[in-house]
Amino acid sequence: MNGSRRRPGSRRIASFGETVFATYTRLAQEHGAINLGQGFPDFDPPSFVLNAYREATTGSQQYAPVPGLPALTETVAAVHGESLGRQLDPVANVQVTVGATEALFAIMQAMVDPGDEVIIVEPFYDSYPADVVMAGGIPIYVPLEPTESGDWSLDLDAVRQVCSDRTRLLLLNTPHNPTGKVFGAEELDALIDLAESFDFHIVSDEVYEHIAFETHIPTASRPGGWNRTLSISSLGKTFSITGWKIGWAIGPEPLIQALRGAHQWISFAVATPLQAAAATMLRQGADDGYFSEVRDLYLAKRERIVRGLSNSPFRPLVPAGSYFVIADSSALGYPDDVALCLDLPKRARVAAIPPSAFYSEGHRELARHLVRFAFCKEDEALDRAGQRLQSLN
Ligand code: PMP
Ligand code: GLN
């Protein structure tokens, strides 16, 4: 159109398609389907969150400092310091980011050199490989295996086999999207041992830390874990405000400094009034027992969706954490998960995500009989979706 013969995008992004969340939310809208695809709550956040938001309109509306608004970095340091049993310095050990998404991108930019390898557990949250590739790194995949008991196991020997002196990082996610796996102490210890032996670092994405139905163990709380780990969290899931995009990383000073070196050129600083509100709600949430309320809310929603699915052709694998459930869809006889998820919004007026989007190209076969439903939705929507899926019997 403008006469240029150059392709618009760089080689680096040439392999990227559209994120599945955009694709399947659009499909849900087209068919008026209940959206159990993209993971965002369809209900309002608690009133103390909205009150904190209103209060922040009267405070500063100008740039925050690069590490984050002091009120928020201090609160993050205090709240995570309590759960780690360690004194955290609000500036040396905390970096506020534009959601967990920016933390992940900035960490890769900050720590990965071209040709470095980053081990990714699959299925993975969909931005991980793109973050590694945009930094010039090479993603190396290790699959989780579903077990008879409905749990997912990580083959630690398989992880060991891909470790080498080229390994720069291991990207972990606990509680895990999309399987709901909550990593146990032994698994975390074994991964920390590998990080020590091969001298790499761990990035532990813990955005679902408060949506855990088994005990969530922060990776950095394990012996040897703190010095090796950048831990990531964000407000979106815990406070039902995915649109805010306020997140943070915590870790030892040299790793936070490296991350900050990249972050300052990516976003420089994060929305000041939202950080002010975040500080208030995080402190209040930690003091008032809100975190266990969130867990109980999602425990009840998990029971609800599992009940709905159990009377349908889908066989759910009960998740130990997160607000997602993976189900086996073999009984419906679709050729693969994409074919199912493209048809479901029209056929049953329910949208879901094909988990093959969370696998590397060579491993997509592992997901062909699976489907992911999000249950961060009103009870009524979960019940109606259950009925619609039961009509496929
Ligand atoms: N990591 C995981 C595992 C997620 O599920 C999400 C959800 N969007 C993110 C990171 C991104 O979080 P945020 O919205 O805070 O950027
Ligand atoms: N984390 C959410 C999910 O897995 C959605 C994230 C997004 O829309 N980018 O569904």
Side-chain angles (χ1 to χ4, degrees), residues 19 21 37-39 125 177 208 237 324 372:
T19 158
F21 303 120
Q38 191 179 16
Y125 181 57
N177 175 8
Y208 298 100
K237 332 288 169 189
F324 303 106
R372 189 196 84 170

Side-chain angles (χ1 to χ4, degrees), residues 98-101 104 125 128 173 177 205 207-208 234 237 242 245:
V98 184
T101 306
L104 288 158
Y125 181 57
Y128 293 179
N173 173 208
N177 175 8
D205 176 348
V207 296
Y208 298 100
S234 96
K237 332 288 169 189
T242 60
K245 303 299 289 185

Side-chain angles (χ1 to χ4, degrees), residues 78-290:
V79 170
H80 283 274
E82 262 167 54
S83 64
L84 294 177
R86 165 184 295 277
Q87 182 90 22
L88 300 187
D89 182 279
V91 173
N93 301 130
V94 180
Q95 176 61 53
V96 176
T97 55
V98 184
T101 306
E102 194 233 341
L104 288 158
F105 177 77
I107 288 169
M108 295 303 146
Q109 294 296 319
M111 296 181 70
V112 173
D113 278 317
D116 283 352
E117 294 183 354
V118 178
I119 300 174
I120 295 181
V121 175
E122 65 182 349
F124 45 71
Y125 181 57
D126 76 334
S127 69
Y128 293 179
D131 289 333
V132 174
V133 167
M134 285 191 279
I138 302 169
I140 304 288
Y141 300 99
V142 188
L144 288 176
E145 313 271 354
T147 64
E148 288 291 312
S149 62
D151 205 1
W152 294 73
S153 76
L154 180 65
D155 180 349
L156 292 164
D157 286 331
V159 182
R160 192 169 297 109
Q161 272 166 27
V162 298
C163 291
S164 72
D165 58 3
R166 293 182 302 279
T167 309
R168 181 68 190 89
L169 292 175
L170 177 126
L171 242 174
L172 198 65
N173 173 208
T174 182
H176 183 258
N177 175 8
T179 66
K181 178 181 171 68
V182 174
F183 281 76
E186 276 178 29
E187 288 169 313
L188 295 176
D189 291 351
L191 294 172
I192 292 165
D193 274 353
L194 286 175
E196 300 257 325
S197 308
F198 290 90
D199 197 14
F200 58 80
H201 289 101
I202 297 176
V203 177
S204 193
D205 176 348
E206 302 181 9
V207 296
Y208 298 100
E209 61 186 327
H210 299 297
I211 309 180
F213 317 120
E214 289 173 9
T215 307
H216 162 68
I217 306 170
T219 305
S221 71
R222 298 304 303 163
W226 171 256
N227 285 327
R228 292 261 155 207
T229 308
L230 271 173
S231 311
I232 297 175
S233 194
S234 96
L235 293 183
K237 332 288 169 189
T238 304
F239 294 95
S240 303
I241 45 173
T242 60
W244 283 37
K245 303 299 289 185
I246 300 285
W248 54 85
I250 60 170
E253 186 167 14
L255 300 188
I256 290 292
Q257 264 176 4
L259 159 59
R260 189 164 295 151
H263 163 82
Q264 65 181 334
W265 306 126
I266 297 170
S267 60
F268 176 75
V270 179
T272 300
L274 294 183
Q275 290 195 69
T280 308
M281 71 181 72
L282 192 58
R283 185 69 270 169
Q284 243 173 300
D287 289 347
D288 296 351
Y290 171 71

Side-chain angles (χ1 to χ4, degrees), residues 18-66:
E18 181 183 59
T19 158
V20 273
F21 303 120
T23 310
Y24 289 90
T25 286
R26 193 168 55 236
L27 208 60
Q29 284 161 354
E30 271 168 30
H31 294 283
I34 300 171
N35 190 354
L36 304 190
Q38 191 179 16
F40 63 89
D42 67 349
F43 44 86
D44 287 337
S47 54
F48 75 91
V49 167
L50 296 176
N51 288 341
Y53 178 62
R54 282 186 208 105
E55 266 167 42
T57 59
T58 58
S60 168
Q61 309 298 315
Q62 308 311 326
Y63 292 126
V66 170

